[in-house]
Amino acid sequence: MNNAGRYAPSPSGDLHIGNLRTAILAWLFARTTQRAFVLRVDDLDRVRAGAAEQQLADLAAIGIDWDGPVAYQSTRTDAYDAAIAELAAAGRTYECYCTRREIQEAATAPHGPMGAYPGTCRELTTAQRDQRRASGRPAAIRLRADVDSFTFHDQLHGEYTGAVDDLVLRRGDGIPAYNLTVVVDDADQGVDQVVRGDDLLPSTPRQAYLATLLGLAVPTYAHVPLVLNPEGKRLAKRDGAVTLSDRRAAGDTPQDVVALIADSLGYRARTTAELRELFDAAQLPRNPWILDPTGLFRPDECP
Ligand code: GLU
């Protein structure tokens, strides 16, 4: 399968209205450009039992359909291992024994991007590496990057240039790192269009660069504005009745939730099918949607 858009939730809990809005946008971008739409569950980390099933049920309930089987990252470790092995064979990896604190304390390389890994373990001698290995601390595997920034095109943000450092490919606990898995998965699922929240914009130069190193096509990107609470912080479940089950408990139907999300995008629609007829990516609001969950209750339901 080729030419697909996707949504890739982390199954750490229920999706809230902000997540559902991003999922609807990813679905709309894909379906209005004759693409397939695939789902992936990012379940290598932060998994809550039953959350993935609930997320898929909620997506279906608001009218999102998808093609083919859902991919689960926890079943794909062979693919990640193969990608890391390919980079290692090309001399593009090294073992890193730094703790998080050591990285924070080390001065950033003189010409490196702010916050970048300072390269402490990059040029260890064999003796130094053996000494660190002997300490018993498990090594992370890092990419030996030969650029410190990378530019990609974003449908909403235009040419975007951001930092690339010697990013982690496999964490010290053995788990393949997000920046690697996302690149491998998107390629394997035929994803050539990535639509996701703009909180991930700064990670994208690393991912696009990694794709080129692995000989994979760089997808087109659209990083969409997030939903914020009235304090300007990213909407979270603690902000109130913001998940689909919360909204149902408050008397809303899934169509009411779709209507609310459609309204935030400037459309009057109650189903994703209606939205699909109306959607124009060029008209997408460029600013975050500020949502006050306390204002969501209908007047007759106010305590
Ligand atoms: N699973 C990631 C998240 O929920 C998203 C990954 C992606 O869209 O690339 O933040």
Side-chain angles (χ1 to χ4, degrees):
M1 181 174 43
N2 272 311
N3 298 82
R6 50 76 147 177
Y7 184 61
S10 298
S12 54
D14 283 356
L15 299 172
H16 61 56
I17 291 177
N19 307 131
L20 296 174
R21 184 180 192 252
T22 301
I24 285 180
L25 283 171
W27 182 88
L28 286 168
F29 270 86
R31 294 302 193 206
T32 57
T33 53
Q34 286 68 54
R35 283 180 166 86
F37 189 67
V38 298
L39 291 189
R40 180 181 84 229
V41 175
D42 287 354
D43 60 348
L44 288 179
D45 214 359
R46 295 188 298 139
V47 176
R48 206 192 70 196
E53 292 74 13
Q54 188 61 52
Q55 291 181 340
L56 300 184
D58 287 355
L59 292 171
I62 59 166
I64 289 181
D65 63 347
W66 56 88
D67 301 293
V70 176
Y72 288 82
Q73 288 197 321
S74 56
T75 67
R76 293 190 29 80
T77 42
D78 288 354
Y80 310 137
D81 291 350
I84 294 170
E86 183 183 329
L87 293 165
R92 290 206 164 271
T93 63
Y94 62 89
E95 292 173 15
C96 171
Y97 295 88
C98 295
T99 61
R100 196 169 293 189
R101 166 180 273 186
E102 282 166 348
I103 295 171
Q104 274 161 6
E105 283 171 1
T108 298
H111 303 293
M114 283 296 288
Y117 176 65
T120 319
C121 291
R122 186 177 170 120
E123 309 298 350
L124 292 183
T125 63
T126 309
Q128 287 170 324
R129 195 168 46 243
D130 287 349
Q131 189 190 13
R132 284 172 172 74
R133 272 186 191 156
S135 78
R137 191 196 293 161
I141 306 292
R142 284 187 181 273
L143 178 72
R144 192 180 288 277
D146 58 8
V147 300
D148 60 17
S149 71
F150 199 78
T151 302
F152 68 93
H153 181 78
D154 186 280
Q155 211 171 322
L156 303 180
H157 297 263
E159 298 297 297
Y160 182 93
T161 302
V164 173
D165 64 352
D166 284 358
L167 54 108
V168 171
L169 301 170
R170 187 191 300 286
R171 301 177 349 194
D173 61 7
I175 296 183
Y178 160 71
N179 281 318
L180 174 88
T181 60
V182 64
V183 170
V184 172
D185 289 335
D186 283 339
D188 284 357
Q189 283 193 289
V191 168
D192 70 339
Q193 178 192 58
V194 171
V195 177
R196 58 187 178 186
D198 61 14
D199 53 326
L200 288 168
L201 196 54
S203 302
T204 307
R206 292 177 171 86
Q207 296 170 15
Y209 172 63
L210 200 47
T212 61
L213 289 184
L214 288 165
L216 305 171
V218 176
T220 66
Y221 291 99
H223 287 86
V224 300
L226 294 178
V227 181
L228 305 181
N229 69 15
E231 281 85 56
K233 301 234 171 65
R234 197 188 310 178
L235 187 73
K237 264 162 277 178
R238 64 179 169 278
D239 287 320
V242 291
T243 67
L244 189 58
S245 48
D246 293 339
R247 298 313 314 152
R248 281 182 153 135
D252 281 355
T253 64
Q255 289 70 38
D256 292 329
V257 173
V258 173
L260 179 71
I261 291 169
D263 185 61
S264 80
L265 298 170
Y267 301 112
R268 283 177 71 87
R270 294 184 59 77
T271 65
T272 52
E274 288 166 15
L275 254 183
R276 180 180 175 165
E277 297 303 314
L278 302 169
F279 182 67
D280 176 2
Q283 301 297 324
L284 197 64
R286 300 299 168 107
N287 295 320
W289 177 33
I290 311 287
L291 179 69
D292 182 357
T294 56
L296 284 178
F297 291 97
R298 298 198 189 102
D300 58 333
E301 286 169 347
C302 282

